[in-house]
Amino acid sequence: MEKGESNQERWCGLKDSSWCQQFKNISNPLMARYVYGFIFLAANLLAWSARDELSSISTLTKLKGLKVCKVEKECLGANGVLRVSMGCFLFFMMMFWSTTRASELNEARDKWHSGWWSIKIVLWILLTIFPFLLPSALIELYGQVAQFGAGVFLLIQLISIISFINWLNEYFASETYAERFKVHVMIFAATSYFICLVGIILMYIWYAPIPSCLLNIFFITWSLVLLQLMTSVSLHPKVNGGLLSPGLMGLYVVFLCWCAIRSEPEGDQCIRKAGTVPETDWLNIISFVIGILAIVFATFSTGIDSKSFQLKKSEKATEENDVPYGYGFFHFVFAVGAMYFAMLLVGWNSHHSMKKWSLDVGWTSAWVRIVNEWLAVCVYLWILIAPIIWKNRHTEST
């Protein structure tokens, strides 16, 4: 035995196992995030399968542990979604607590984050099965907590998107690129406003075809007002934010408004005037698949954006040995993302029956989207005017 050889190295020399090799090999956190994304996608598909398939298995409605609704067969699928979501949440929260302070590559927490996949896959499977052994009362409690967790996810996603838009605007407004990309920025901003106006006009045509559609008219008109407000504040001489950032924010606001109206349940001629399609039509299936992929992509892109949420920007230069992104924040986003996809699949209500190939449908879903839209505008406006307010206060104090 050579002098200075660690216990781990001696053990690996005796036990040439794949698990040990995973711990010895150089970690690759950039590839690891894609594996976690695949696990999250698998959980989404499993939750969807639980919702659309469990309710059709009549024998399961007789299980005492799964009786949670007055009409068990209709709510069995939603209960299954919450159980799969809970397993995914537990897995990523466990990863959060075990990697939250990782700062350097090749330390123990980094290797655990980027390796040991055999153990983690088994752990995820066991944690997915575990909630199905719990009584329905605990699952109902989790469903209520998941509403709050999904709201946290939406807030994190909102801040991440606004931070990216502001970064993009500052990047092209910098001295290095201001003159070089001036025409490109103007074309991009004009295109954004054009798409916003086309989207608003189409929403009027599709979702507010008659004057009695007052709620939809209000939603669409108010989105137009918010677009004008963001543009006016950004172009104010004291702010001087330009047209690019409010144009991009306008795209996000119009998109949220469209999602909100699309989430309204069918019932009158104001809803889905653009034309309803059969329940299992290929367009519904494609829309559903795109929606699931969008959830995974949004969770993934938000999870690696930990720098936008640092309360105090570090002046320390990035070293080669530093981790490329915050592992703890990454797993936390996936944990609350598990709650978010559960709410989308059950329409933010575990007692609300959902049709096959449907996603995020119901009045609760619609109002969540609308509130998210209004909150996004408030956060964006605050980011624009906050520096001016703090500057004035600082001037007055001195």
Side-chain angles (χ1 to χ4, degrees), residues 170-182:
E170 292 174 0
Y171 178 83
F172 286 113
S174 62
E175 295 181 0
T176 307
Y177 301 101
E179 290 297 327
R180 184 179 176 184
F181 293 103
K182 185 176 181 180

Side-chain angles (χ1 to χ4, degrees), residues 44-63:
N44 276 259
L45 296 177
L46 186 60
W48 157 69
S49 179
R51 188 197 69 178
D52 287 0
E53 300 301 328
L54 280 182
S55 57
S56 63
I57 305 176
S58 58
T59 55
L60 288 178
T61 61
K62 298 178 181 178
L63 296 178

